[in-house]
Short mmCIF file of all heavy atoms in Angstrom, two decimals:
data_model
loop_
_atom_site.label_atom_id
_atom_site.label_comp_id
_atom_site.label_asym_id
_atom_site.label_seq_id
_atom_site.Cartn_x
_atom_site.Cartn_y
_atom_site.Cartn_z
N MET Q 103 -21.63 -20.37 9.36
CA MET Q 103 -20.78 -21.46 8.92
C MET Q 103 -19.41 -20.93 8.49
O MET Q 103 -18.39 -21.51 8.82
CB MET Q 103 -21.48 -22.19 7.76
CG MET Q 103 -20.72 -23.38 7.28
SD MET Q 103 -20.75 -24.67 8.54
CE MET Q 103 -19.93 -25.95 7.68
N LEU Q 104 -19.43 -19.84 7.73
CA LEU Q 104 -18.18 -19.24 7.28
C LEU Q 104 -17.34 -18.78 8.46
O LEU Q 104 -16.12 -18.90 8.47
CB LEU Q 104 -18.47 -18.06 6.34
CG LEU Q 104 -17.26 -17.32 5.79
CD1 LEU Q 104 -16.42 -18.26 4.93
CD2 LEU Q 104 -17.69 -16.10 5.02
N TRP Q 105 -18.02 -18.26 9.48
CA TRP Q 105 -17.32 -17.79 10.68
C TRP Q 105 -16.58 -18.95 11.36
O TRP Q 105 -15.43 -18.78 11.81
CB TRP Q 105 -18.32 -17.14 11.63
CG TRP Q 105 -17.65 -16.62 12.87
CD1 TRP Q 105 -17.73 -17.14 14.12
CD2 TRP Q 105 -16.78 -15.50 12.96
NE1 TRP Q 105 -16.98 -16.41 14.98
CE2 TRP Q 105 -16.38 -15.39 14.30
CE3 TRP Q 105 -16.30 -14.56 12.05
CZ2 TRP Q 105 -15.52 -14.39 14.76
CZ3 TRP Q 105 -15.45 -13.57 12.51
CH2 TRP Q 105 -15.07 -13.49 13.83
N LEU Q 106 -17.17 -20.11 11.44
CA LEU Q 106 -16.53 -21.27 12.04
C LEU Q 106 -15.30 -21.72 11.25
O LEU Q 106 -14.28 -22.08 11.83
CB LEU Q 106 -17.53 -22.42 12.17
CG LEU Q 106 -18.65 -22.23 13.18
CD1 LEU Q 106 -19.63 -23.40 13.09
CD2 LEU Q 106 -18.09 -22.13 14.57
N ILE Q 107 -15.40 -21.67 9.94
CA ILE Q 107 -14.27 -22.05 9.09
C ILE Q 107 -13.12 -21.06 9.28
O ILE Q 107 -11.96 -21.46 9.41
CB ILE Q 107 -14.70 -22.14 7.61
CG1 ILE Q 107 -15.68 -23.30 7.43
CG2 ILE Q 107 -13.50 -22.29 6.70
CD1 ILE Q 107 -16.34 -23.36 6.08
N LEU Q 108 -13.42 -19.78 9.30
CA LEU Q 108 -12.38 -18.76 9.52
C LEU Q 108 -11.74 -18.91 10.89
O LEU Q 108 -10.52 -18.79 11.03
CB LEU Q 108 -12.98 -17.36 9.37
CG LEU Q 108 -13.37 -16.94 7.97
CD1 LEU Q 108 -14.08 -15.58 7.99
CD2 LEU Q 108 -12.15 -16.88 7.07
N GLU Q 109 -12.53 -19.18 11.89
CA GLU Q 109 -12.00 -19.36 13.23
C GLU Q 109 -11.12 -20.61 13.32
O GLU Q 109 -10.06 -20.60 13.95
CB GLU Q 109 -13.16 -19.46 14.24
CG GLU Q 109 -12.70 -19.41 15.68
CD GLU Q 109 -13.86 -19.35 16.65
OE1 GLU Q 109 -15.03 -19.26 16.21
OE2 GLU Q 109 -13.59 -19.42 17.86
N ALA Q 110 -11.53 -21.69 12.66
CA ALA Q 110 -10.72 -22.91 12.65
C ALA Q 110 -9.40 -22.68 11.92
O ALA Q 110 -8.34 -23.15 12.35
CB ALA Q 110 -11.51 -24.04 12.00
N CYS Q 111 -9.43 -21.95 10.82
CA CYS Q 111 -8.20 -21.63 10.08
C CYS Q 111 -7.27 -20.77 10.92
O CYS Q 111 -6.05 -21.00 10.94
CB CYS Q 111 -8.54 -20.93 8.78
SG CYS Q 111 -9.28 -22.01 7.54
N ALA Q 112 -7.81 -19.80 11.60
CA ALA Q 112 -7.00 -18.94 12.45
C ALA Q 112 -6.35 -19.74 13.58
O ALA Q 112 -5.16 -19.57 13.88
CB ALA Q 112 -7.85 -17.80 13.03
N ALA Q 113 -7.10 -20.64 14.18
CA ALA Q 113 -6.55 -21.48 15.25
C ALA Q 113 -5.47 -22.41 14.70
O ALA Q 113 -4.43 -22.62 15.34
CB ALA Q 113 -7.67 -22.29 15.90
N PHE Q 114 -5.67 -22.95 13.53
CA PHE Q 114 -4.67 -23.84 12.91
C PHE Q 114 -3.38 -23.08 12.62
O PHE Q 114 -2.29 -23.55 12.93
CB PHE Q 114 -5.24 -24.45 11.63
CG PHE Q 114 -4.23 -25.25 10.88
CD1 PHE Q 114 -3.86 -26.51 11.31
CD2 PHE Q 114 -3.64 -24.75 9.74
CE1 PHE Q 114 -2.92 -27.26 10.62
CE2 PHE Q 114 -2.69 -25.48 9.04
CZ PHE Q 114 -2.33 -26.74 9.48
N PHE Q 115 -3.50 -21.90 12.01
CA PHE Q 115 -2.30 -21.13 11.70
C PHE Q 115 -1.59 -20.65 12.97
O PHE Q 115 -0.36 -20.59 13.01
CB PHE Q 115 -2.64 -19.95 10.79
CG PHE Q 115 -2.92 -20.39 9.39
CD1 PHE Q 115 -4.15 -20.17 8.82
CD2 PHE Q 115 -1.95 -21.05 8.64
CE1 PHE Q 115 -4.42 -20.58 7.52
CE2 PHE Q 115 -2.21 -21.47 7.34
CZ PHE Q 115 -3.45 -21.23 6.79
N LEU Q 116 -2.34 -20.35 14.01
CA LEU Q 116 -1.73 -19.99 15.28
C LEU Q 116 -0.96 -21.17 15.87
O LEU Q 116 0.16 -21.02 16.36
CB LEU Q 116 -2.80 -19.51 16.26
CG LEU Q 116 -2.30 -19.03 17.62
CD1 LEU Q 116 -1.40 -17.82 17.46
CD2 LEU Q 116 -3.48 -18.71 18.52
N LEU Q 117 -1.52 -22.35 15.80
CA LEU Q 117 -0.84 -23.56 16.27
C LEU Q 117 0.44 -23.81 15.48
O LEU Q 117 1.50 -24.07 16.07
CB LEU Q 117 -1.78 -24.77 16.16
CG LEU Q 117 -1.15 -26.12 16.49
CD1 LEU Q 117 -0.81 -26.20 17.97
CD2 LEU Q 117 -2.05 -27.24 16.07
N VAL Q 118 0.36 -23.70 14.17
CA VAL Q 118 1.55 -23.91 13.33
C VAL Q 118 2.61 -22.87 13.66
O VAL Q 118 3.80 -23.19 13.76
CB VAL Q 118 1.17 -23.86 11.83
CG1 VAL Q 118 2.40 -23.82 10.95
CG2 VAL Q 118 0.30 -25.06 11.48
N PHE Q 119 2.24 -21.63 13.86
CA PHE Q 119 3.19 -20.57 14.19
C PHE Q 119 3.87 -20.85 15.52
O PHE Q 119 5.09 -20.70 15.65
CB PHE Q 119 2.50 -19.21 14.22
CG PHE Q 119 3.40 -18.10 14.66
CD1 PHE Q 119 4.35 -17.59 13.79
CD2 PHE Q 119 3.32 -17.59 15.94
CE1 PHE Q 119 5.20 -16.57 14.18
CE2 PHE Q 119 4.17 -16.58 16.35
CZ PHE Q 119 5.10 -16.07 15.47
N ILE Q 120 3.12 -21.26 16.53
CA ILE Q 120 3.70 -21.54 17.85
C ILE Q 120 4.68 -22.70 17.76
O ILE Q 120 5.78 -22.65 18.33
CB ILE Q 120 2.58 -21.82 18.88
CG1 ILE Q 120 1.81 -20.53 19.17
CG2 ILE Q 120 3.16 -22.40 20.17
CD1 ILE Q 120 0.57 -20.74 19.99
N VAL Q 121 4.33 -23.75 17.04
CA VAL Q 121 5.23 -24.89 16.87
C VAL Q 121 6.49 -24.46 16.13
O VAL Q 121 7.60 -24.79 16.52
CB VAL Q 121 4.52 -26.05 16.15
CG1 VAL Q 121 5.50 -27.14 15.76
CG2 VAL Q 121 3.43 -26.62 17.04
N TRP Q 122 6.32 -23.70 15.05
CA TRP Q 122 7.48 -23.23 14.28
C TRP Q 122 8.38 -22.36 15.14
O TRP Q 122 9.60 -22.49 15.13
CB TRP Q 122 7.00 -22.45 13.06
CG TRP Q 122 8.14 -21.85 12.28
CD1 TRP Q 122 8.92 -22.48 11.37
CD2 TRP Q 122 8.62 -20.51 12.38
NE1 TRP Q 122 9.85 -21.60 10.89
CE2 TRP Q 122 9.70 -20.39 11.49
CE3 TRP Q 122 8.23 -19.40 13.14
CZ2 TRP Q 122 10.39 -19.20 11.34
CZ3 TRP Q 122 8.93 -18.23 12.98
CH2 TRP Q 122 9.99 -18.14 12.10
N TRP Q 123 7.80 -21.47 15.92
CA TRP Q 123 8.56 -20.54 16.76
C TRP Q 123 9.37 -21.30 17.80
O TRP Q 123 10.55 -21.00 18.03
CB TRP Q 123 7.60 -19.56 17.43
CG TRP Q 123 8.29 -18.55 18.27
CD1 TRP Q 123 8.53 -18.61 19.60
CD2 TRP Q 123 8.85 -17.31 17.82
NE1 TRP Q 123 9.20 -17.49 20.01
CE2 TRP Q 123 9.41 -16.68 18.93
CE3 TRP Q 123 8.92 -16.69 16.58
CZ2 TRP Q 123 10.03 -15.45 18.84
CZ3 TRP Q 123 9.54 -15.47 16.50
CH2 TRP Q 123 10.09 -14.86 17.61
N THR Q 124 8.79 -22.30 18.42
CA THR Q 124 9.50 -23.04 19.47
C THR Q 124 10.56 -23.97 18.87
O THR Q 124 11.57 -24.23 19.52
CB THR Q 124 8.53 -23.86 20.33
OG1 THR Q 124 7.78 -24.73 19.49
CG2 THR Q 124 7.59 -22.97 21.11
N MET Q 125 10.37 -24.44 17.67
CA MET Q 125 11.36 -25.34 17.07
C MET Q 125 12.57 -24.60 16.54
O MET Q 125 13.69 -25.11 16.65
CB MET Q 125 10.72 -26.14 15.92
CG MET Q 125 9.78 -27.22 16.36
SD MET Q 125 9.07 -28.09 14.97
CE MET Q 125 10.51 -28.82 14.24
N PHE Q 126 12.38 -23.43 15.97
CA PHE Q 126 13.46 -22.77 15.25
C PHE Q 126 13.95 -21.48 15.89
O PHE Q 126 14.79 -20.80 15.32
CB PHE Q 126 13.03 -22.49 13.81
CG PHE Q 126 12.68 -23.75 13.07
CD1 PHE Q 126 11.38 -24.00 12.69
CD2 PHE Q 126 13.65 -24.68 12.77
CE1 PHE Q 126 11.05 -25.16 12.01
CE2 PHE Q 126 13.33 -25.84 12.10
CZ PHE Q 126 12.03 -26.08 11.72
N SER Q 127 13.46 -21.13 17.06
CA SER Q 127 13.97 -19.92 17.69
C SER Q 127 15.18 -20.26 18.55
O SER Q 127 15.40 -21.40 18.94
CB SER Q 127 12.88 -19.30 18.57
OG SER Q 127 12.60 -20.14 19.65
N GLY Q 128 15.97 -19.26 18.84
CA GLY Q 128 17.13 -19.47 19.70
C GLY Q 128 18.42 -19.55 18.90
O GLY Q 128 18.42 -19.79 17.71
N ARG Q 129 19.49 -19.34 19.60
CA ARG Q 129 20.81 -19.36 18.98
C ARG Q 129 21.30 -20.80 18.85
O ARG Q 129 21.09 -21.61 19.73
CB ARG Q 129 21.74 -18.54 19.87
CG ARG Q 129 23.06 -18.24 19.28
CD ARG Q 129 23.78 -17.30 20.19
NE ARG Q 129 25.19 -17.37 19.87
CZ ARG Q 129 26.14 -16.81 20.57
NH1 ARG Q 129 25.82 -16.13 21.64
NH2 ARG Q 129 27.38 -16.92 20.21
N LYS Q 130 21.98 -21.09 17.77
CA LYS Q 130 22.42 -22.46 17.51
C LYS Q 130 23.95 -22.54 17.59
O LYS Q 130 24.65 -21.59 17.29
CB LYS Q 130 22.00 -22.91 16.12
CG LYS Q 130 20.53 -22.83 15.87
CD LYS Q 130 19.83 -24.04 16.36
CE LYS Q 130 18.36 -23.92 15.99
NZ LYS Q 130 17.54 -24.86 16.56
N GLU Q 131 24.43 -23.72 18.00
CA GLU Q 131 25.85 -24.00 17.91
C GLU Q 131 26.17 -24.42 16.49
O GLU Q 131 25.30 -24.59 15.66
CB GLU Q 131 26.21 -25.16 18.85
CG GLU Q 131 26.27 -24.79 20.32
CD GLU Q 131 26.76 -25.96 21.15
OE1 GLU Q 131 27.77 -26.57 20.77
OE2 GLU Q 131 26.13 -26.24 22.16
N LYS Q 132 27.44 -24.63 16.20
CA LYS Q 132 27.84 -25.03 14.86
C LYS Q 132 27.29 -26.41 14.50
O LYS Q 132 27.02 -26.68 13.34
CB LYS Q 132 29.36 -25.02 14.74
CG LYS Q 132 29.93 -23.63 14.78
CD LYS Q 132 31.41 -23.65 14.64
CE LYS Q 132 31.96 -22.23 14.73
NZ LYS Q 132 33.39 -22.18 14.65
N ASN Q 133 27.13 -27.30 15.47
CA ASN Q 133 26.64 -28.63 15.16
C ASN Q 133 25.11 -28.72 15.17
O ASN Q 133 24.56 -29.79 15.01
CB ASN Q 133 27.24 -29.67 16.11
CG ASN Q 133 26.85 -29.43 17.56
OD1 ASN Q 133 26.12 -28.50 17.85
ND2 ASN Q 133 27.35 -30.25 18.45
N GLY Q 134 24.43 -27.59 15.38
CA GLY Q 134 22.98 -27.56 15.25
C GLY Q 134 22.21 -27.70 16.54
O GLY Q 134 21.01 -27.54 16.55
N ARG Q 135 22.89 -27.98 17.65
CA ARG Q 135 22.16 -28.07 18.91
C ARG Q 135 21.96 -26.67 19.49
O ARG Q 135 22.83 -25.83 19.39
CB ARG Q 135 22.92 -28.94 19.91
CG ARG Q 135 22.88 -30.40 19.54
CD ARG Q 135 23.53 -31.23 20.60
NE ARG Q 135 24.97 -30.99 20.50
CZ ARG Q 135 25.85 -31.38 21.40
NH1 ARG Q 135 25.46 -32.01 22.47
NH2 ARG Q 135 27.12 -31.13 21.24
N PRO Q 136 20.80 -26.41 20.13
CA PRO Q 136 20.58 -25.08 20.69
C PRO Q 136 21.51 -24.82 21.88
O PRO Q 136 21.88 -25.72 22.61
CB PRO Q 136 19.12 -25.12 21.15
CG PRO Q 136 18.75 -26.54 21.17
CD PRO Q 136 19.68 -27.29 20.28
N VAL Q 137 21.89 -23.56 22.03
CA VAL Q 137 22.77 -23.14 23.12
C VAL Q 137 21.89 -22.69 24.28
O VAL Q 137 20.99 -21.87 24.10
CB VAL Q 137 23.67 -21.99 22.66
CG1 VAL Q 137 24.52 -21.48 23.79
CG2 VAL Q 137 24.53 -22.41 21.50
N THR Q 138 22.15 -23.21 25.46
CA THR Q 138 21.39 -22.77 26.63
C THR Q 138 21.99 -21.46 27.13
O THR Q 138 23.10 -21.08 26.80
CB THR Q 138 21.44 -23.82 27.75
OG1 THR Q 138 22.80 -23.98 28.16
CG2 THR Q 138 20.87 -25.15 27.29
N ARG Q 139 21.25 -20.78 27.96
CA ARG Q 139 21.76 -19.52 28.52
C ARG Q 139 23.00 -19.74 29.36
O ARG Q 139 23.90 -18.92 29.39
CB ARG Q 139 20.67 -18.84 29.35
CG ARG Q 139 19.53 -18.32 28.51
CD ARG Q 139 18.47 -17.68 29.38
NE ARG Q 139 17.27 -17.47 28.59
CZ ARG Q 139 16.80 -16.27 28.33
NH1 ARG Q 139 17.39 -15.21 28.78
NH2 ARG Q 139 15.71 -16.14 27.60
N ARG Q 140 23.03 -20.86 30.06
CA ARG Q 140 24.19 -21.18 30.89
C ARG Q 140 25.43 -21.39 30.01
O ARG Q 140 26.51 -20.88 30.31
CB ARG Q 140 23.90 -22.43 31.71
CG ARG Q 140 25.00 -22.78 32.67
CD ARG Q 140 24.60 -23.97 33.51
NE ARG Q 140 25.62 -24.29 34.46
CZ ARG Q 140 25.58 -25.31 35.27
NH1 ARG Q 140 24.54 -26.10 35.26
NH2 ARG Q 140 26.55 -25.54 36.12
N GLN Q 141 25.28 -22.13 28.92
CA GLN Q 141 26.40 -22.35 28.01
C GLN Q 141 26.84 -21.04 27.37
O GLN Q 141 28.03 -20.80 27.20
CB GLN Q 141 26.00 -23.34 26.91
CG GLN Q 141 25.84 -24.76 27.39
CD GLN Q 141 25.25 -25.66 26.32
OE1 GLN Q 141 24.58 -25.19 25.41
NE2 GLN Q 141 25.52 -26.95 26.44
N GLN Q 142 25.90 -20.18 27.06
CA GLN Q 142 26.23 -18.91 26.45
C GLN Q 142 27.00 -18.04 27.45
O GLN Q 142 27.98 -17.39 27.08
CB GLN Q 142 24.95 -18.20 26.02
CG GLN Q 142 25.16 -16.95 25.20
CD GLN Q 142 23.85 -16.37 24.71
OE1 GLN Q 142 22.77 -16.82 25.11
NE2 GLN Q 142 23.93 -15.38 23.87
N ALA Q 143 26.59 -18.05 28.72
CA ALA Q 143 27.29 -17.27 29.74
C ALA Q 143 28.71 -17.81 29.95
O ALA Q 143 29.66 -17.04 30.12
CB ALA Q 143 26.51 -17.30 31.05
N GLN Q 144 28.85 -19.13 29.94
CA GLN Q 144 30.18 -19.73 30.10
C GLN Q 144 31.08 -19.35 28.92
O GLN Q 144 32.25 -19.05 29.11
CB GLN Q 144 30.07 -21.25 30.21
CG GLN Q 144 29.48 -21.73 31.50
CD GLN Q 144 29.21 -23.22 31.49
OE1 GLN Q 144 29.24 -23.86 30.46
NE2 GLN Q 144 28.94 -23.78 32.68
N GLN Q 145 30.54 -19.35 27.73
CA GLN Q 145 31.32 -18.99 26.55
C GLN Q 145 31.75 -17.52 26.62
O GLN Q 145 32.90 -17.20 26.32
CB GLN Q 145 30.51 -19.25 25.28
CG GLN Q 145 31.28 -18.98 24.01
CD GLN Q 145 30.44 -19.25 22.77
OE1 GLN Q 145 29.25 -19.51 22.87
NE2 GLN Q 145 31.06 -19.19 21.62
N GLN Q 146 30.86 -16.65 27.05
CA GLN Q 146 31.21 -15.24 27.16
C GLN Q 146 32.27 -15.04 28.24
O GLN Q 146 33.17 -14.21 28.06
CB GLN Q 146 29.96 -14.42 27.48
CG GLN Q 146 29.03 -14.27 26.31
CD GLN Q 146 27.75 -13.54 26.68
OE1 GLN Q 146 27.47 -13.32 27.86
NE2 GLN Q 146 26.97 -13.18 25.68
N ALA Q 147 32.17 -15.77 29.35
CA ALA Q 147 33.17 -15.66 30.41
C ALA Q 147 34.53 -16.12 29.90
O ALA Q 147 35.56 -15.50 30.20
CB ALA Q 147 32.74 -16.48 31.62
N ARG Q 148 34.56 -17.21 29.12
CA ARG Q 148 35.82 -17.68 28.55
C ARG Q 148 36.43 -16.66 27.61
O ARG Q 148 37.63 -16.41 27.61
CB ARG Q 148 35.59 -19.00 27.80
CG ARG Q 148 35.80 -20.21 28.67
CD ARG Q 148 35.77 -21.48 27.82
NE ARG Q 148 34.49 -22.13 28.08
CZ ARG Q 148 33.58 -22.44 27.18
NH1 ARG Q 148 33.80 -22.23 25.92
NH2 ARG Q 148 32.46 -23.01 27.53
N GLU Q 149 35.58 -16.01 26.80
CA GLU Q 149 36.07 -15.01 25.86
C GLU Q 149 36.63 -13.80 26.61
O GLU Q 149 37.65 -13.24 26.20
CB GLU Q 149 34.95 -14.57 24.92
CG GLU Q 149 34.56 -15.64 23.91
CD GLU Q 149 33.32 -15.26 23.11
OE1 GLU Q 149 32.73 -14.19 23.38
OE2 GLU Q 149 32.94 -16.04 22.22
N GLN Q 150 36.00 -13.40 27.71
CA GLN Q 150 36.49 -12.27 28.48
C GLN Q 150 37.81 -12.60 29.16
O GLN Q 150 38.72 -11.77 29.18
CB GLN Q 150 35.46 -11.86 29.52
CG GLN Q 150 34.26 -11.15 28.92
CD GLN Q 150 33.21 -10.81 29.94
OE1 GLN Q 150 33.31 -11.22 31.10
NE2 GLN Q 150 32.20 -10.07 29.54
N THR Q 151 37.95 -13.80 29.70
CA THR Q 151 39.21 -14.16 30.37
C THR Q 151 40.32 -14.32 29.34
O THR Q 151 41.46 -13.98 29.62
CB THR Q 151 39.06 -15.46 31.19
OG1 THR Q 151 38.58 -16.49 30.34
CG2 THR Q 151 38.12 -15.27 32.35
N ASP Q 152 39.99 -14.79 28.15
CA ASP Q 152 41.01 -14.90 27.10
C ASP Q 152 41.51 -13.51 26.68
O ASP Q 152 42.70 -13.30 26.48
CB ASP Q 152 40.45 -15.62 25.87
CG ASP Q 152 40.26 -17.11 26.13
OD1 ASP Q 152 40.82 -17.62 27.12
OD2 ASP Q 152 39.53 -17.76 25.35
N SER Q 153 40.59 -12.56 26.58
CA SER Q 153 41.00 -11.21 26.16
C SER Q 153 41.73 -10.48 27.29
O SER Q 153 42.57 -9.63 27.03
CB SER Q 153 39.79 -10.41 25.70
OG SER Q 153 38.90 -10.21 26.78
N ASP Q 154 41.45 -10.82 28.55
CA ASP Q 154 42.12 -10.19 29.69
C ASP Q 154 43.58 -10.65 29.79
O ASP Q 154 44.44 -9.90 30.22
CB ASP Q 154 41.41 -10.50 31.00
CG ASP Q 154 40.05 -9.81 31.08
OD1 ASP Q 154 39.83 -8.84 30.30
OD2 ASP Q 154 39.23 -10.24 31.90
N GLN Q 155 43.88 -11.85 29.40
CA GLN Q 155 45.21 -12.39 29.52
C GLN Q 155 46.15 -11.84 28.47
O GLN Q 155 47.36 -11.86 28.63
CB GLN Q 155 45.19 -13.92 29.42
CG GLN Q 155 44.51 -14.56 30.61
CD GLN Q 155 44.36 -16.06 30.44
OE1 GLN Q 155 44.72 -16.60 29.38
NE2 GLN Q 155 43.85 -16.73 31.45
N ARG Q 156 45.64 -11.32 27.40
CA ARG Q 156 46.49 -10.80 26.31
C ARG Q 156 47.01 -9.44 26.61
O ARG Q 156 46.71 -8.58 27.16
CB ARG Q 156 45.73 -10.80 25.00
CG ARG Q 156 45.45 -12.21 24.55
CD ARG Q 156 44.73 -12.17 23.24
NE ARG Q 156 44.29 -13.54 22.94
CZ ARG Q 156 43.43 -13.83 22.03
NH1 ARG Q 156 42.88 -12.89 21.31
NH2 ARG Q 156 43.08 -15.06 21.79
#
């Protein structure tokens, strides 16, 4: 019986961890929306072209 309770607790904490990880991982913009890899690449390209022009 104790084994079932421990296994259920472990599964619950694993579920909570996965949900937490997917909700709060990743880089954020200033307004709180997550930045996609495409947006991040575009931003880096803009920064490189800005520094090349100077």
Side-chain angles (χ1 to χ4, degrees):
M103 183 69 175
L104 180 63
W105 181 252
L106 291 175
I107 293 171
L108 289 174
E109 190 173 356
C111 288
F114 174 75
F115 286 118
L116 183 63
L117 174 68
V118 170
F119 175 76
I120 290 170
V121 170
W122 176 82
W123 182 266
T124 56
M125 286 180 64
F126 300 112
S127 67
R129 191 172 160 189
K130 303 275 184 190
E131 284 186 47
K132 291 181 182 178
N133 63 1
R135 288 185 287 169
V137 176
T138 62
R139 290 179 193 244
R140 184 176 182 184
Q141 289 172 336
Q142 188 175 8
Q144 289 171 347
Q145 183 179 8
Q146 287 175 349
R148 269 189 255 123
E149 289 172 357
Q150 287 177 352
T151 55
D152 288 345
S153 64
D154 291 342
Q155 292 174 356
R156 293 181 189 166

